[in-house]
């Protein structure tokens, strides 16, 4: 993975057809997705359950680009190797889910994967201030994690701005997860975000047999996010 701060759209397969992940991943990449965002939930850290490393390994051959695995699980550490072996390029753990998040990030990097750290809406930007040298991506949750289709929490925009200033020249992505659509995308890219996760706003209106809406939705978010502003 090379680093740059261009806007990247990362569709979340939480909004895909769960009986058809392989074809869905191929469809969104063919329609212009930059990364594929994979939401792992355990019914303990978050009030919903999705899937684990075996599913990630099964969909890996259907993703040509970056497989971005967002772990909403506690504990995290016992499962890091399994997700790395499943082929994750980025593994993101929540600062709220790990007693020793510093050690967790070291363990992720030790596998060769990029290390991401996610912040719930109630967690301040300062929670990552001692972690930046161990981090490749900070994920700012703009909804409370657990479900797709929730409303964007606008108070997080200021957190993005703070994080962008804290990061400075370090090669660290700022990812936004939750409620991203063409209306909210420019608010966060303007504040310094570069990776935009979007579930419902990408998958709405399309399907594997009719994937054209995926492309239209991705382009609409990208164009809004990359708009000219002063
Ligand atoms: C929420 C997940 C998100 C979710 C985003 O816990 O981490 O990735 O799928 O879905 P939308 O874009 O519908 O808010
Ligand atoms: Zn996510």
């Amino acid at each position: 993975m090379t680093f740059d701060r261009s806007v990247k759209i990362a569709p979340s397969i939480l909004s895909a057809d769960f009986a058809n992940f392989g074809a869905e991943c191929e469809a969104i990449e063919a329609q212009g997705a930059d990364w594929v965002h994979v939401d792992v939930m355990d019914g303990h850290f978050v009030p919903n359950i999705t899937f684990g490393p075996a599913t990630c390994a099964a969909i890996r051959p259907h993703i040509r680009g970056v497989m971005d695995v967002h772990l909403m699980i506690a504990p995290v550490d016992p499962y890091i190797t399994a997700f790395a072996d499943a082929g994750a390029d980025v593994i993101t753990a929540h600062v709220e889910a790990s007693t020793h998040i510093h050690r967790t990030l070291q363990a992720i990097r030790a596998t060769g994967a990029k290390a991401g750290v996610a912040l719930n809406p109630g967690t301040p930007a300062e929670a990552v201030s001692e972690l930046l040298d161990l981090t490749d991506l900070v994920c700012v949750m703009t909804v409370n994690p657990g479900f797709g289709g929730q409303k964007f929490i606008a108070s997080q925009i200021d957190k993005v701005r703070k994080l962008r200033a804290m990061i400075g020249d370090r090669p660290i992505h700022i990812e936004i997860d939750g409620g991203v659509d063409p209306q909210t995308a420019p608010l966060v890219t303007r504040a310094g975000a570069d990776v935009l996760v979007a579930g419902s706003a990408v998958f709405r209106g399309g399907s594997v047999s009719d994937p054209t809406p995926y492309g239209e939705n991705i382009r609409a978010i990208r164009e809004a996010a990359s708009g000219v502003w002063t």
Side-chain angles (χ1 to χ4, degrees):
M1 273 179 76
T2 54
F3 180 85
D4 70 66
R5 288 192 206 281
S6 63
V7 171
K8 290 162 281 294
I9 311 296
S12 163
I13 61 166
L14 189 61
S15 295
D17 174 0
F18 269 46
N20 224 350
F21 278 141
E24 289 276 43
C25 290
E26 290 173 11
I28 52 177
E29 284 197 330
Q31 293 293 325
D34 299 295
W35 293 11
V36 176
H37 185 82
V38 179
D39 285 310
V40 177
M41 304 185 185
D42 67 352
H44 167 72
F45 178 64
V46 290
N48 192 9
I49 301 176
T50 54
F51 45 74
T55 304
C56 293
I59 64 180
R60 175 72 264 191
H62 300 274
I63 300 173
R64 297 162 65 105
V66 171
M67 180 168 166
D68 174 33
V69 176
H70 177 192
L71 297 181
M72 286 161 275
I73 64 174
V76 184
D77 294 11
Y79 303 101
I80 290 170
T81 307
F83 285 101
D85 290 347
D89 297 292
V90 182
I91 299 177
T92 296
H94 271 258
V95 72
E96 306 86 0
S98 183
T99 313
H100 301 286
I101 187 69
H102 189 280
R103 177 186 290 151
T104 300
L105 295 172
Q106 285 178 322
I108 294 171
R109 278 204 171 160
T111 68
K114 299 289 184 194
V117 59
L119 298 176
N120 279 338
T123 304
E126 289 73 19
V128 300
S129 65
E130 301 302 319
L131 303 172
L132 294 177
D133 291 336
L134 293 167
T135 300
D136 302 294
L137 174 148
V138 179
C139 174
V140 177
M141 293 304 303
T142 40
V143 298
N144 284 295
F147 302 97
Q150 302 182 78
K151 190 177 177 321
F152 178 85
I153 301 173
S155 61
Q156 301 305 301
I157 298 167
D158 197 45
K159 189 195 287 186
V160 176
R161 221 173 274 125
K162 279 188 195 153
L163 285 165
R164 185 68 196 87
M166 286 164 65
I167 285 168
D169 291 335
R170 294 179 179 86
I172 300 176
H173 298 288
I174 298 181
E175 177 176 74
I176 305 300
D177 191 0
V180 172
D181 63 20
Q183 282 69 50
T184 56
L187 306 177
V188 288
T189 50
R190 220 176 299 178
D194 62 303
V195 183
L196 303 180
V197 175
S200 27
V202 166
F203 284 91
R204 74 167 57 106
S207 65
V208 164
S209 52
D210 177 24
T212 315
Y214 296 167
E216 293 165 357
N217 293 339
I218 289 169
R219 275 192 298 283
I221 298 169
R222 195 191 303 283
E223 280 167 22
S226 315
V228 179
W229 50 78
T230 52

